[in-house]
Amino acid sequence: MGRRRWVAVVAAVGMAYLATLTVNRSVVEVRGASMEPTLWPGDRLLTVPARRRWLRTGRVVVVADPADPTHLVVKRIARTERGLVEVLGDQPAASTDSRHWGPLPVTAIRRVVIRRWPDLRTRLSR
């Protein structure tokens, strides 16, 4: 493969990646201390709509609060099993999560966090 062709392929892949970041993305701001020390109040997170295949242990997600589905919270997936998911905050003393709610239906997960924004280098999954 010639150098020009290689540069064109790399540029196309880069453009496709940037396009996926701008299509159907959302920036969510962390409000509470439940995800400290990983995430702090005021951190902004780049998210995409949840897809079942992306829901695995360790992934940081945005979940609808069972007590108020219009209130969204950031948690980490602790376990998935048969259409249910357990989500926990990284700071147990400051978190309302599946220890209080019990397992949630997978449909409660609204978005998957892909990066801290604008710091795209920071990985959030364990």
Side-chain angles (χ1 to χ4, degrees):
M1 181 183 293
R3 179 172 167 77
R4 280 186 160 196
R5 184 167 170 87
W6 185 83
V7 169
V9 168
V10 170
V13 168
M15 297 283 281
Y17 175 72
L18 290 175
T20 60
L21 290 179
T22 59
V23 173
N24 206 0
R25 68 162 172 83
S26 177
V27 176
V28 173
E29 185 173 329
V30 176
R31 299 269 181 205
S34 70
M35 290 300 291
E36 290 177 5
T38 307
L39 300 171
W40 295 84
D43 281 353
R44 293 173 23 171
L45 309 173
L46 183 64
T47 68
V48 294
R51 301 277 190 265
R52 216 176 258 260
R53 67 180 177 265
W54 296 341
L55 305 180
R56 61 183 174 273
T57 302
R59 179 73 74 154
V60 178
V61 294
V62 178
V63 181
D65 183 334
D68 177 7
T70 63
H71 180 235
L72 301 177
V73 295
V74 177
K75 302 294 175 194
R76 186 180 303 278
I77 296 177
R79 190 171 73 153
T80 61
E81 187 177 329
R82 294 183 310 235
L84 296 174
V85 63
E86 288 185 18
V87 293
L88 302 174
D90 288 356
Q91 181 65 255
S95 184
T96 302
D97 49 34
S98 286
R99 289 177 287 240
H100 305 285
W101 305 322
L104 302 175
V106 171
T107 56
I109 298 178
R110 301 294 169 82
R111 303 192 68 82
V112 173
V113 176
I114 55 172
R115 293 283 190 249
R116 184 178 284 118
W117 183 260
D119 178 10
L120 297 177
R121 295 167 297 169
T122 304
R123 294 193 57 107
L124 300 175
S125 295
R126 292 183 178 169

